Amino acid sequence: MGEIMASELETRLREGEKLSVIDVREPDEWEDGHIKEAISIPMSVFVERLGELNDLEEPIYLVCRSGNRSGRVGDYLSTQGYEVVNVLGGMLSWPGEVVTGE
């Protein structure tokens, strides 16, 4: 599993790169503020929604509040054969714009 700093991911998205970003936080955390380009798939239902990853380009960038939950999801996805990148520091270190609500 790869790793990326939140600031580097923000720069790449701001420059228009089309990246697959999944936010694994729970719905209330998502609604409090998330990355505009991200998709919400909470860790609590991740396995049930695994099929949704088939439509995404790899690598898949995983984000949570601090990087712990996304790291655990990333370890799991790596064992399933996915190419994944954990966003270090998560939303706590996200320097960019956030969108609130669903």
Side-chain angles (χ1 to χ4, degrees):
M1 173 169 59
E3 296 177 328
I4 190 172
M5 299 301 294
S7 56
E8 185 183 337
L9 178 62
E10 192 271 339
T11 299
R12 292 175 64 184
L13 289 170
R14 188 167 22 87
E15 290 174 350
E17 273 191 67
K18 296 285 180 239
L19 304 174
S20 299
V21 181
I22 296 179
D23 190 320
V24 302
R25 297 174 302 153
E26 295 307 306
D28 59 324
E29 297 173 283
W30 166 267
E31 289 172 16
D32 285 344
H34 57 269
I35 299 167
K36 181 177 66 178
E37 295 84 356
I39 299 164
S40 174
I41 304 181
M43 186 169 134
S44 59
V45 296
F46 209 92
V47 175
E48 299 156 38
R49 293 179 58 187
L50 202 54
E52 294 176 36
L53 303 187
N54 297 337
D55 299 332
L56 302 178
E57 288 289 319
E58 292 182 48
I60 295 169
Y61 294 84
L62 299 167
V63 67
C64 66
R65 189 181 69 87
S66 67
N68 289 330
R69 284 175 284 178
S70 54
R72 292 205 299 274
V73 171
D75 288 341
Y76 169 74
L77 288 178
S78 292
T79 67
Q80 303 297 309
Y82 289 94
E83 185 186 348
V84 291
V85 179
N86 190 23
V87 179
L88 299 175
M91 291 304 290
L92 289 176
S93 56
W94 180 254
E97 219 178 304
V98 294
V99 179
T100 56
E102 293 179 27

